[in-house]
Amino acid sequence: MKLAKHCIVRPGSHVHLINRDPDDTFGKKRDDEAHEKSLTRLRELQHLLYADKRHSLLIVLQGLDASGKDGTIRHVMSGVNPQGCDVTSFKAPSADALARDFLWRIHRAAPPRGNIGIFNRSHYEDVLIVRVHNLVPKSVWRHRYRQINEFERMLTENGVTILKFFLHISREEQRKRFEARIRDSSRNWKLSLPDFEERQHWDNYAAAYEEALRKCSTEAAPWYVIPANKKWFRNYLVAELVVHALNDMRLKYPAPTVDISKVVLE
């Protein structure tokens, strides 16, 4: 896919988010008809994935507050069969989760064969917010990059294709979206004081994301930095990358379990 080369993070490469324009569209013009065709194709491929039962797809969505994680899920996955698609939103870990390794609750949510799993935030929070707010010492979280890579490699070797999207917005765009939520009474419920307070740590989050992108973008599970200031382009690009990944699985319908030629309906 031509657009993928603009946003993929090559394994081992250094990422400087300040050099990646969140307004960029890589020369693509808005084309709602073409986008709808992509969504239609995605629904067809999801049906095929569900029938095939040899592979699964895990979509990881990360981004700062108001970057569009919920909106991406709502738009790109509209119309897919709910039986074959699960969304897991990872909030602060429970006491039970904290008593175990940080990947325990993540592995439990990995999609079974035939399904699409979507992580709204993910195991990467354990090298992001944990790092920014010093929730655990560096001696603990610095090992997690390697552990994440090993975990993701294990999943891919067992039939799970992983797509990791960092939804990249500017600080100014985040402010505009917060202001829109304040003005819109139907979206006031999405506001929380910590969201505003986190803006004070913008540069620290950028540094944490840059290291996670560099250390955890692998051949098997690469990261994509999605310019997300323009919602239409964010949705278009994510949909195209998902369709491309499903196409690469070479999915097919399984053979019938009965001899169709001998079926007689009376």
Side-chain angles (χ1 to χ4, degrees):
M1 179 188 168
K2 293 180 180 179
L3 291 179
K5 66 181 181 181
H6 297 291
C7 57
I8 194 170
V9 176
R10 299 296 176 189
S13 64
H14 287 270
V15 180
H16 302 287
L17 292 174
I18 195 171
N19 296 329
R20 297 204 177 215
D21 184 1
D23 278 307
D24 208 343
T25 63
F26 309 133
K28 176 69 180 178
K29 303 297 183 183
R30 183 166 184 168
D31 186 338
D32 291 341
E33 183 177 348
H35 181 50
E36 188 54 42
K37 287 181 180 178
S38 292
L39 295 181
T40 298
R41 179 59 179 159
L42 192 159
R43 294 163 194 146
E44 293 170 350
L45 287 167
Q46 188 238 351
H47 183 263
L48 188 51
L49 175 73
Y50 188 73
D52 188 293
K53 288 288 192 293
R54 291 180 299 139
H55 308 274
S56 60
L57 176 65
L58 173 59
I59 299 171
V60 175
L61 291 173
Q62 287 285 158
L64 295 168
D65 295 314
S67 61
K69 297 180 289 296
D70 291 342
T72 300
I73 296 169
R74 185 170 58 250
H75 183 86
V76 175
M77 306 310 292
S78 63
V80 301
N81 186 345
Q83 290 186 99
C85 183
D86 295 300
V87 179
T88 306
S89 296
F90 288 99
K91 307 295 185 182
S94 65
D96 192 28
L98 287 171
R100 305 168 189 269
D101 69 273
F102 79 101
L103 289 169
W104 173 76
R105 64 174 182 157
I106 309 299
H107 201 174
R108 295 179 73 201
R113 291 184 180 89
N115 280 37
I116 294 176
I118 303 170
F119 287 176
N120 185 339
R121 300 191 187 276
S122 67
H123 42 303
Y124 282 93
E125 293 300 306
D126 285 282
V127 291
L128 294 168
I129 190 170
V130 161
R131 167 178 168 167
V132 171
H133 290 286
N134 298 310
L135 300 181
V136 300
K138 183 176 181 179
S139 59
V140 173
W141 60 254
R142 69 185 178 89
H143 296 296
R144 290 178 174 175
Y145 302 106
R146 172 182 52 80
Q147 292 164 356
I148 287 171
N149 288 342
E150 291 171 351
F151 170 67
E152 292 178 351
R153 184 173 67 250
M154 181 272 293
L155 290 182
T156 60
E157 289 176 354
N158 284 274
V160 183
T161 295
I162 304 174
L163 290 176
K164 300 183 296 192
F165 301 128
F166 169 61
L167 306 184
H168 181 35
I169 61 170
S170 66
R171 201 166 191 267
E172 175 63 16
E173 179 64 20
Q174 186 192 60
R175 183 184 64 80
K176 291 178 181 178
R177 294 183 185 183
F178 280 162
E179 289 175 344
R181 290 179 182 180
I182 292 171
R183 293 192 301 268
D184 185 350
S185 60
S186 68
R187 293 195 291 165
N188 289 168
W189 64 272
K190 299 188 75 173
L191 297 168
S192 67
L193 189 58
D195 291 345
F196 303 120
E197 294 173 342
E198 289 292 80
R199 279 174 61 81
Q200 302 173 24
H201 305 285
W202 185 277
D203 291 340
N204 290 334
Y205 271 110
Y209 266 110
E210 287 173 349
E211 186 161 11
L213 293 169
R214 177 174 65 86
K215 289 187 173 180
C216 296
S217 192
T218 62
E219 292 291 343
W223 269 105
Y224 294 90
V225 177
I226 306 296
N229 274 7
K230 294 181 172 62
K231 296 178 182 180
W232 71 264
F233 184 67
R234 174 201 72 199
N235 295 336
Y236 171 81
L237 186 53
V238 169
E240 288 292 303
L241 289 165
V242 171
V243 167
H244 183 73
L246 290 170
N247 274 326
D248 276 354
M249 292 180 189
R250 301 186 182 278
L251 302 167
K252 59 183 179 180
Y253 289 110
T257 57
V258 297
D259 186 344
I260 302 298
S261 66
K262 294 181 179 179
V263 174
V264 178
L265 297 176
E266 298 181 359

